[in-house]
Amino acid sequence: MLQQVNGHSSGSEAQGGGFLREDLQEFLSGEAPLHQLDDLTKVNPVTLETVLRCLQARYAADTFYTNAGCTLVALNPFKPIPQLYSTALMREYHAAPQPQPCSHSESAGARATEIFWTRDSRYKKLKPHIFMVGEQTYRNVKSLIEPVNQSIIVSGESGAGKTWTSRCLMKFYAVVAASPTSWESHKIAERIEQRILNSNPVMEAFGNACTLRNNNSSRFGKFIQLQLNRAQQMTGAAVQTYLLEKTRVACQASSERNFHIFYQICKGASTDERLQWHLPEGAAFSWLPNPERTLEEDCFEVTREAMLHLGIDNPTQNNIFQVLAGLLHLGNIRFADSEDESQPCQLMGDAKCSIRTSASLLQLPEDPLLETLQIRTIRAGRQQQVFRKPCSRAECDTRRDCLAKLVYARLFDWLVSVINSSICADPDSWTTFIGLLDVYGFESFPNNSLEQLCINYANEKLQQHFVAHYLKAQQEEYTVEGLEWSFVNYQDNQTCLDLIEGSPISICSLINEECRLNRPSSAAQLQTRIERALAGNPCLGHNKLSQEPSFIVVHYAGPVQYHTAGLVEKNKDPVPPELNRLLQQSWDPLLKVLFPTDPEEQPSGQSRAPVLTVVSKFKASLEQLLQVLHSTTPHYIRCIKPNSQGQAHIFLQEQVLSQLEACGLVETIHISAAGFPIRISHQNFVERYELLRRLHARTSSGPHSPSPDEQHSEGSPCTEAATLQPLLQDILHTLPALSQAAATLSDPAEATPAPVCCGRTKVFMTDSMLELLEHGRAQVLEQCARCIQRGWRRHWHRKQERQRQAAVLIQAAIRSWLTRKHVQRLHTAATVIKRAWKRWRIGMAFLASKELDDVEEKHVSPVPLSTGSCLLPQTQSSLLAAIIRLWPLGLVLANASVGVQGFRRKLVVWACLQLPTGSHSSHNVQTAQEQAGITSIRALPQGSIKFHCRKSPLPYADICPEPSPYSVTGFNQILLERHSLGHA
C-alpha cells in the first residue's frame, strides 16, 4: 500500500511491519522538527528511511529543495510557485555574503560544498535552492585566480523537473552575469540574454514531447555552455545536442504524443496559414495522436516570437512549418500489398491525395516521390549494375518513415546550428564557461527499444561519473593523504557498464556486429547470442515468461527489459541513397540547404567508408561530453518525482524510495557526513589563514619562522613543504581558542573543536571548521583594521594639533605686529597733540603772566596789619608765606568741595589775594559757593563755575615736562576779582 501525505490518501503504517521503527525512534524524538533540517547530512542515523521521512516532512511544508552533502535534492512541486523563482529572489541569493571559495590549485570538484549563506548575522539565512548552486558556480568562476570551468549536472527520472531546473538556471545566469557599465554594452548584453533565453522555447518545441510520465519530456540531451568573459559577464552561449529521438516523428506509443511543434502549427496557425499548409480544421493525421489534449506547451505564438528573436525571419518560419505540414501529410500515406510481387504496392484510400499534398508542400516531384517509396534500387556486381525491385508493404512503410525521420533530424540539427550562430560569442571574447547538462532521465516502459537502451546507458555513464568523481575519488584521496578513513560501501555500476559497452564483447558490440552481417537479422537469434556471450555478467537477466525475444539489464536504477525486435534495424538507421537523391531534387529553399548537392559524391559502392551505427555515434558523443565534464568542477542536482500522476501535495514513499536508491543518494550522504568536504592545499591554506597566528603566542616557531616572501623564494618543493609545516602548526594551534570563543558566544556545550586533519599536501576540514576559520580571520582583519584606524586617527590628531599651534603662532605674530603699528600711530598722534598743546599753553601762560603783571602793578600797596595778626602763630606765618607763592593752588583749595576747612581756608584766601590782615568783620572772603560774580582775564561769567576733569584718551596726555619752580601749571589761569577791588 503506497502511503500519501496531506490527507490525499491514507496508508496503514502497520503494513510496513517494523518499517523505520528502530532506526527512527531516536531521530523522530529529536529537538529540531524534520522540515527544518535543510541538509540530509544532519539526519542521524543516515538510512533510506530517515532520509525519506525528512524529505516527506519538507515536501508537506512546501519546502522543495534540500542539501545532501555535495548534492542538491529537488522535489517537483507539480504546481506553479512564482515567488520561488522571481528575479528579486535571484538577486537576493546573488547578494548574499560568503567566505572565499577554495583556491584554484585544487583538483576539479575537490570543493564538495560551500557555506556562503550563514556567515553574516545581518543577513537572514537563505534556504537551499537551485539559485544557491548557480551562485556557487558563478562565484567559483569569478573569484579563482586561474578560473576553472564549472558544470551543473541535472539528473533524474523523466518528469522530475530537469528541464524546468535548467530553464531557471539560465534565467538566473542571465540576471546575475549581465552587469555592463556602458549603455551600449548594456544593450548588447540584453540582446544576448534574450537570445539565450529564447533558445529554450524553440528547442523544447522541436525536441520535447508528451510521454506517459511527463507532459514536457526532453527527447534529446543537451549541454548548454554559457560563455563568460574576463569580467564574468555573459557574452554568449553554445548548445550541443545528443541523440534526438527522431523515431517519434513516425511512431508514438499509446497515450503519448508527437513533438510539440506539430500540435502548435495545427492549433495555432491562422486561417490563411492553414490554407497554405493544407491543415483544415479537424483534419486527422495518423502521426498526430491525442490532438484533443491541450497542454501549456501548445503555444505557437511563443515559439514564433522566440524564433524571430533568434534571427529566423517570417518567410523562413513559414518555410519550416510548410515542411512540417508536408511530413504530417506524408504520414497519411498507406500502402496495400500487391497481388503480383513484381508490381509495386498500391495506395490505399486517400493516399493519392496525401502524397500529392505532401509532394506539393515539400516541393518534390510527385511521381519520383511515389516511385522512391515503392521501388528499391540495388547496385550489384563489379559493373555496378542497377536493379529495381518493388518493395513490400512493410518496406514501403519503412522507407516512408525513414524519409520523415531524415528530414526532421536534418531540420533539428539546422535549427541548433542557427541558434548557435545567433548566441555563440567569438572565441577570443570569452575565457570561461558554465555548463548546464540536461539529459533524458532514466526510462523504463512496457516496450523498451534502442532509444531507451541509449538513454539508460547515458544515465549509467553519468552515474559512474558521479561515483568516480565524488564517492570513489574522495575515499581514495583520504588514503593517499594519509588520513584514517573507514571506507563506505557504495553502489558501483561498473559491472553494468561492462555489460553494455565493455570490450571485447558487450551488448553494443553484438548489436553492431549484427548490423555488419550480410544476412537478415533475427530477434530471437540476437537474444540467444547476447545470453550466451554475456551469461557470466550478474547484471544480465532473462524473463522466461516473456513471449517476445528480450533481455533484462539490471541498471543502477532498477531492471529494464529490452525487446530485441527492431534493435538491429534501428541501430543501422538505414537511409537509402535514393531518398537523399530525391530530396536533393526539391526546389524548396530550406530543403536545398538541408540536402545540398555534393558534386564530388562518389557512385554508390565505390570505396565507401563504413556507415556508423546509432550506438557508435551516440557512444562517441557521450565520451566527448564526459571529457568536457571531467575538465570542469561538477555540481549535482538530483531531481525527484514525488508521484507518477504529476499531482501536487502527493508524496508516494515507494516511488521516492526507489529514486533515492537509484541515484545513490544515501551513499553520498554517508560520505559527506563522515568525511571532509572541504579540501585546501597547504600553500593556499597558509596564504589565507596565516593571519590567525596573531591570535596565538608563537612559542615553538619563534623568530625563525619564515615569511611568505621567503616561502616563495624557495626553489625545491621539499624545502617549501618543510617551510610550511611550522606555519601550519601555528595556525592549527589557534583552533582550540577559536572553538572556545565561538562556543562562548553561542552555546558553551559546543566547545568541542570541529574536526580538521592535515594530510600530506592538503588540509581537510568540515563546513563548520571553515566557518570557524573564516570567523577568526574576520576578527583578525577587524583588529588590524582597528589598529590601522587608531594609528591614522592618532597621526591625524597630531597633525591637526601641529597645524593649530602653527596657526596660533602666526596669529600671535600678526596681532603683535598690528598692535605695534597701532601704538606707533597713537604715539605719533600724541606727540603732535602734545606739541600743539604745549604751544597753546605757552601762549596762554604768556598772556596770563602779562595780564597778571599789569594787575599787580596797579593794585599792590602797603596794607596795615591789625592788632589781631600778632596773635597768629609762627607756623601759620610760614604757611602763609608759602601759600602766597602758590595763590592759584590756594584758589583751587578755597573753591573745592574738599580740602582745607574753616580758618585755614580763609587764611589761604587772604594770602592768595594779598589782603590786609585786620578784623574779620571788615573784610569777608566769599568763596565760589557764596558769591555770584567772577571776573576773569577773558570773560566775566554769570553764575557759578564748575571745573570738570576728564582723563585723556591718550596714554601720555597727562604727562608733562618737569615744571619750573615758579611757573603755574595744570589749569587755565583764572583771577577772581572782588567788586570792591577797584575801590581799594
Side-chain angles (χ1 to χ4, degrees):
M1 179 67 115
L2 300 181
Q3 185 180 2
Q4 302 179 358
V5 299
N6 290 351
H8 291 277
S9 67
S10 60
S12 175
E13 294 184 358
Q15 293 182 2
F19 186 63
L20 310 179
R21 290 304 176 192
E22 297 180 0
D23 292 337
L24 284 179
Q25 188 64 34
E26 181 181 357
F27 171 68
L28 295 179
S29 61
E31 297 180 358
L34 292 178
H35 67 275
Q36 294 183 4
L37 296 177
D38 56 0
D39 197 327
L40 296 179
T41 58
K42 300 177 182 178
V43 177
N44 190 23
V46 182
T47 62
L48 276 175
E49 292 77 10
T50 56
V51 170
L52 182 64
R53 285 292 182 91
C54 183
L55 291 176
Q56 183 175 358
R58 291 178 65 82
Y59 187 77
D62 283 347
T63 305
F64 307 107
Y65 295 104
T66 309
N67 290 325
C70 66
T71 307
L72 178 69
V73 179
L75 295 171
N76 194 339
F78 291 121
K79 64 179 180 179
I81 310 176
Q83 68 275 9
L84 194 59
Y85 308 98
S86 63
T87 305
L89 189 62
M90 296 179 187
R91 292 194 173 95
E92 184 176 355
Y93 276 88
H94 180 57
Q98 88 288 353
Q100 292 293 331
C102 288
S103 173
H104 65 281
S105 62
E106 301 178 40
S107 61
R111 177 69 184 268
T113 182
E114 301 274 357
I115 47 169
F116 287 160
W117 319 104
T118 60
R119 177 169 169 254
D120 198 333
S121 59
R122 294 173 298 176
Y123 295 85
K124 68 177 183 180
K125 182 179 179 181
L126 296 178
K127 297 180 180 180
H129 202 284
I130 56 174
F131 296 157
M132 184 182 294
V133 180
E135 181 63 20
Q136 177 181 341
T137 58
Y138 182 69
R139 292 188 180 183
N140 285 354
V141 171
K142 185 176 181 180
S143 59
L144 298 181
I145 300 176
E146 294 179 4
V148 177
N149 298 323
Q150 307 288 309
S151 61
I152 300 178
I153 302 173
V154 185
S155 60
E157 288 191 1
S158 179
K162 301 184 302 298
T163 301
W164 173 261
T165 300
S166 301
R167 188 189 309 171
C168 292
L169 285 172
M170 290 182 65
K171 290 182 180 179
F172 175 79
Y173 288 122
V175 171
V176 304
S179 56
T181 55
S182 63
W183 175 254
E184 181 179 357
S185 58
H186 177 69
K187 300 300 289 184
I188 296 175
E190 271 191 348
R191 186 171 66 252
I192 294 174
E193 170 190 344
Q194 192 63 33
R195 287 183 177 180
I196 292 174
L197 295 180
N198 283 326
S199 64
N200 267 333
V202 175
M203 300 194 70
E204 289 181 11
F206 285 85
N208 289 20
C210 176
T211 63
L212 293 175
R213 297 186 176 184
N214 187 8
N215 290 339
N216 190 29
S217 176
S218 297
R219 308 319 301 163
F220 69 104
K222 61 181 176 181
F223 182 72
I224 303 175
Q225 189 183 74
L226 303 177
Q227 301 159 348
L228 306 175
N229 59 12
R230 295 185 182 274
Q232 285 74 48
Q233 298 172 2
M234 191 160 56
T235 59
V239 180
Q240 186 176 1
T241 60
Y242 304 94
L243 191 64
L244 173 69
E245 189 187 12
K246 55 186 178 181
T247 56
R248 184 169 291 271
V249 177
C251 181
Q252 304 84 29
S254 176
S255 301
E256 293 191 356
R257 301 203 317 173
N258 208 328
F259 292 104
H260 293 321
I261 188 62
F262 292 105
Y263 298 89
Q264 291 180 4
I265 62 175
C266 290
K267 296 180 179 181
S270 63
T271 304
D272 295 338
E273 290 171 342
R274 289 179 180 277
L275 292 175
Q276 181 183 356
W277 303 334
H278 300 277
L279 298 174
E281 288 281 354
F285 298 97
S286 59
W287 287 353
L288 203 68
N290 304 312
E292 69 281 354
R293 295 183 60 181
T294 302
L295 302 179
E296 181 183 355
E297 290 75 20
D298 296 341
C299 189
F300 189 44
E301 292 300 325
V302 174
T303 304
R304 299 204 66 163
E305 185 177 358
M307 296 175 70
L308 195 61
H309 281 97
L310 291 173
I312 305 176
D313 53 12
N314 288 323
T316 306
Q317 292 183 28
N318 293 332
N319 199 174
I320 293 173
F321 302 139
Q322 178 178 326
V323 171
L324 295 177
L327 297 183
L328 287 178
H329 285 280
L330 187 66
N332 285 347
I333 300 176
R334 291 290 180 267
F335 296 95
D337 290 328
S338 177
E339 297 178 358
D340 187 359
E341 294 183 356
S342 62
Q343 298 297 323
C345 294
Q346 303 296 323
L347 297 176
M348 296 177 57
D350 297 334
K352 291 184 178 180
C353 180
S354 298
I355 199 168
R356 186 181 305 110
T357 305
S358 179
S360 174
L361 293 172
L362 298 176
Q363 298 189 23
L364 293 170
E366 181 180 349
D367 293 337
L369 172 60
L370 181 59
E371 183 179 347
T372 303
L373 297 179
Q374 291 177 329
I375 299 176
R376 179 160 57 104
T377 302
I378 302 175
R379 294 178 182 271
R382 296 182 179 180
Q383 303 298 328
Q384 290 294 307
Q385 296 180 357
V386 178
F387 298 93
R388 296 167 58 86
K389 179 182 178 182
C391 298
S392 63
R393 176 183 175 183
E395 291 175 342
C396 290
D397 292 340
T398 302
R399 294 170 73 86
R400 177 203 60 199
D401 297 346
C402 183
L403 178 63
K405 292 186 293 184
L406 178 63
V407 173
Y408 193 83
R410 293 281 184 95
L411 176 60
F412 185 81
D413 293 338
W414 177 81
L415 277 174
V416 173
S417 64
V418 170
I419 291 173
N420 284 331
S421 63
S422 176
I423 65 178
C424 189
D426 185 64
D428 297 333
S429 64
W430 61 277
T431 56
T432 56
F433 69 85
I434 299 176
L436 297 178
L437 179 59
D438 176 17
V439 294
Y440 9 61
F442 186 84
E443 292 186 350
S444 177
F445 300 119
N447 187 9
N448 300 290
S449 186
L450 183 67
E451 292 82 10
Q452 283 69 40
L453 179 63
C454 292
I455 288 173
N456 295 336
Y457 167 51
N459 281 273
E460 288 283 353
K461 293 290 287 186
L462 292 176
Q463 177 67 13
Q464 188 199 40
H465 174 266
F466 174 74
V467 169
H469 167 75
Y470 186 72
L471 302 181
K472 184 190 297 182
Q474 190 177 37
Q475 296 190 26
E476 291 178 353
E477 187 175 13
Y478 293 156
T479 304
V480 172
E481 290 289 333
L483 272 67
E484 295 183 0
W485 173 258
S486 59
F487 281 82
V488 176
N489 295 325
Y490 56 86
Q491 183 179 358
D492 191 355
N493 63 340
Q494 184 60 47
T495 305
C496 182
L497 286 174
D498 292 339
L499 174 65
I500 298 175
E501 64 169 5
S503 178
I505 300 177
S506 63
I507 293 176
C508 291
S509 64
L510 292 176
I511 295 176
N512 288 335
E513 185 178 348
E514 283 290 326
C515 295
R516 290 191 294 267
L517 295 177
N518 191 14
R519 59 172 176 79
S521 176
S522 170
Q525 188 176 0
L526 177 61
Q527 175 189 357
T528 303
R529 291 192 62 190
I530 291 176
E531 290 178 351
R532 288 179 179 177
L534 302 172
N537 194 299
C539 293
L540 179 66
H542 174 62
N543 185 7
K544 298 181 179 180
L545 300 179
S546 178
Q547 298 179 356
E548 298 181 2
S550 63
F551 60 92
I552 296 176
V553 176
V554 182
H555 293 279
Y556 75 96
V560 179
Q561 181 179 359
Y562 299 97
H563 295 277
T564 56
L567 275 180
V568 177
E569 287 74 13
K570 292 182 178 180
N571 188 38
K572 287 181 179 179
D573 193 18
V575 179
E578 52 266 27
L579 292 182
N580 271 319
R581 289 193 294 268
L582 172 67
L583 293 172
Q584 289 173 357
Q585 298 176 10
S586 173
W587 55 88
D588 182 83
L590 180 60
L591 292 181
K592 285 184 177 181
V593 176
L594 300 181
F595 299 94
T597 303
D598 188 3
E600 299 180 359
E601 182 179 2
Q602 297 179 354
S604 177
Q606 295 184 5
S607 65
R608 292 181 300 174
V611 178
L612 292 177
T613 61
V614 173
V615 171
S616 300
K617 293 179 182 178
F618 182 71
K619 185 178 180 181
S621 62
L622 191 58
E623 291 295 336
Q624 182 182 2
L625 172 64
L626 291 174
Q627 288 180 2
V628 175
L629 294 180
H630 282 300
S631 65
T632 63
T633 300
H635 306 263
Y636 300 94
I637 299 178
R638 300 289 194 184
C639 297
I640 302 295
K641 186 168 57 174
N643 59 82
S644 59
Q645 293 80 18
Q647 298 180 8
H649 306 294
I650 297 179
F651 191 93
L652 301 181
Q653 289 186 349
E654 290 188 3
Q655 293 187 13
V656 176
L657 191 62
S658 63
Q659 296 177 65
L660 294 179
E661 291 174 340
C663 64
L665 193 60
V666 175
E667 286 79 7
T668 304
I669 298 171
H670 267 130
I671 294 183
S672 298
F676 304 96
I678 313 300
R679 287 158 286 179
I680 309 176
S681 65
H682 289 175
Q683 180 68 32
N684 296 325
F685 184 83
V686 170
E687 289 178 358
R688 180 159 185 84
Y689 299 112
E690 190 178 6
L691 293 172
L692 298 179
R693 299 172 67 197
R694 296 174 178 267
L695 301 177
H696 177 65
R698 296 182 299 172
T699 57
S700 60
S701 59
H704 67 274
S705 296
S707 63
D709 296 335
E710 295 175 351
Q711 299 171 18
H712 293 289
S713 63
E714 299 292 341
S716 81
C718 297
T719 306
E720 182 178 357
T723 306
L724 291 175
Q725 286 303 319
L727 300 177
L728 280 172
Q729 295 303 321
D730 284 350
I731 297 173
L732 295 178
H733 286 165
T734 64
L735 298 181
L738 288 175
S739 302
Q740 188 67 31
T744 303
L745 294 177
S746 58
D747 187 4
E750 297 179 358
T752 303
V756 56
C757 294
C758 184
R760 294 187 177 94
T761 61
K762 295 180 181 180
V763 177
F764 296 78
M765 68 186 75
T766 60
D767 288 339
S768 58
M769 176 52 65
L770 177 64
E771 187 174 7
L772 188 64
L773 288 172
E774 288 294 330
H775 180 68
R777 184 174 181 270
Q779 285 183 342
V780 174
L781 291 177
E782 184 178 359
Q783 293 175 3
C784 294
R786 292 180 182 276
C787 182
I788 294 173
Q789 289 175 354
R790 285 195 298 267
W792 168 252
R793 287 169 182 163
R794 182 168 56 251
H795 166 73
W796 185 79
H797 283 299
R798 288 177 178 177
K799 182 179 179 181
Q800 291 292 322
E801 182 63 23
R802 290 194 298 267
Q803 291 179 351
R804 189 189 66 81
Q805 293 177 0
V808 170
L809 182 61
I810 294 172
Q811 290 175 357
I814 293 177
R815 287 170 182 167
S816 176
W817 180 80
L818 292 176
T819 303
R820 287 196 299 270
K821 288 294 183 180
H822 182 62
V823 170
Q824 289 177 2
R825 288 195 298 271
L826 293 179
H827 281 204
T828 303
T831 303
V832 173
I833 295 173
K834 285 168 61 178
R835 289 175 182 173
W837 166 255
K838 288 179 180 180
R839 286 196 301 269
W840 178 82
R841 188 180 59 181
I842 293 172
M844 296 304 294
F846 174 75
L847 293 177
S849 61
K850 183 178 179 181
E851 189 177 85
L852 185 59
D853 292 341
D854 292 342
V855 173
E856 289 179 353
E857 290 177 357
K858 292 180 180 180
H859 299 285
V860 172
S861 62
V863 180
L865 296 173
S866 62
T867 57
S869 62
C870 58
L871 301 175
L872 294 173
Q874 185 178 359
T875 57
Q876 292 183 356
S877 298
S878 61
L879 181 60
L880 180 62
I883 293 176
I884 292 175
R885 297 179 57 187
L886 299 173
W887 66 268
L889 180 60
L891 180 63
V892 174
L893 292 174
N895 289 276
S897 59
V898 295
V900 183
Q901 299 292 333
F903 179 71
R904 290 189 179 183
R905 179 180 295 178
K906 292 185 179 182
L907 288 179
V908 172
V909 174
W910 293 338
C912 290
L913 298 179
Q914 296 182 2
L915 298 178
T917 56
S919 62
H920 295 284
S921 61
S922 61
H923 300 284
N924 293 325
V925 179
Q926 295 182 356
T927 63
Q929 291 84 357
E930 297 174 356
Q931 66 181 5
I934 299 177
T935 303
S936 171
I937 61 175
R938 296 181 183 85
L940 297 176
Q942 304 296 325
S944 62
I945 296 178
K946 295 181 180 179
F947 295 94
H948 299 274
C949 179
R950 293 184 181 178
K951 185 177 181 181
S952 173
L954 302 178
Y956 305 100
D958 295 332
I959 302 175
C960 63
E962 184 69 28
S964 61
Y966 302 101
S967 63
V968 179
T969 61
F971 296 94
N972 294 334
Q973 291 82 355
I974 302 175
L975 300 178
L976 301 178
E977 298 183 11
R978 295 180 56 86
H979 294 288
S980 61
L981 185 60
H983 301 285

